[in-house]
Amino acid sequence: MRPGRGPHAIVRYRSIDLRPDLSIVLSLHDAEPYLARLVKGLVEMANSFDADGGDDLRFEILALDERSRDNTLAVLSLLSDRINELQAFQDIPRGTAIMRASRLARGRCWLLLDDDVDLELARWACSEVLRGHRAATVPGQLLALEAELAEAN
């Protein structure tokens, strides 16, 4: 019998990385007025990217509600029924959403938002990091960075 054959042979499978390419983190508080428009725009933005090798970009949206007093949770509930990539987390203490998201985000690139944002700026920041830059920021708007950089800090 040839080596590597038979019932006790070691079979090596090609590893498939099912991690998302992009984790979009939304730190929310009283976001009802803009939330639906923002999430739908972020989904369109993420769907417009190609990942390495020309495949569709895999992404997740983590929406962390920091005890909103408006109908942010109701909007999130409706959106999460229609958008498979959206995961909603509620009753997060104020000021801790990003720290909590750092334990939840699985993407190799993270886009961090804490307010309504210009989607073209979000697209620019994500594309910079996906092309190899370690981080891209628009002060007061957003931060995109490699997961390894975020996890190290």
Side-chain angles (χ1 to χ4, degrees):
M1 185 176 287
R2 292 186 337 189
R5 305 273 181 182
H8 303 291
I10 297 173
V11 178
R12 295 179 194 229
Y13 293 96
R14 195 175 103 202
S15 174
I16 299 174
D17 186 3
L18 297 178
R19 269 180 40 174
D21 300 296
L22 175 64
S23 292
I24 301 171
V25 176
L26 305 176
S27 172
L28 304 170
H29 182 75
D30 295 338
E32 179 187 5
Y34 62 85
L35 182 58
R37 176 184 45 76
L38 177 63
V39 169
K40 289 175 186 176
L42 290 167
V43 168
E44 288 175 15
M45 178 200 73
N47 281 328
S48 72
F49 281 114
D50 284 337
D52 294 335
D55 295 327
D56 289 338
L57 182 103
R58 291 183 310 273
F59 69 96
E60 65 183 355
I61 300 175
L62 306 174
L64 295 96
D65 181 53
E66 294 186 322
R67 298 181 177 157
S68 292
R69 295 167 298 195
D70 63 2
N71 290 318
T72 297
L73 284 176
V75 174
L76 280 175
S77 178
L78 291 171
L79 290 169
S80 64
D81 286 343
R82 290 183 268 159
I83 301 170
N84 293 332
E85 296 85 0
L86 177 63
Q87 299 174 56
F89 302 89
Q90 64 185 36
D91 200 32
I92 307 296
R94 289 292 308 258
T96 64
I98 299 300
M99 182 174 47
R100 174 91 181 266
S102 71
R103 294 188 298 265
L104 299 168
R106 299 175 302 128
R108 63 183 177 91
C109 171
W110 295 2
L111 175 64
L112 308 174
L113 308 171
D114 68 355
D115 203 350
D116 197 5
V117 67
D118 180 335
L119 292 171
E120 285 304 311
L121 295 175
R123 166 181 277 295
W124 168 80
C126 287
S127 66
E128 290 296 301
V129 176
L130 291 169
R131 285 190 327 214
H133 292 273
R134 298 206 65 201
T137 187
V138 177
Q141 292 270 323
L142 58 91
L143 171 65
L145 66 162
E146 292 178 332
E148 289 81 19
L149 183 60
E151 292 165 349
N153 293 309

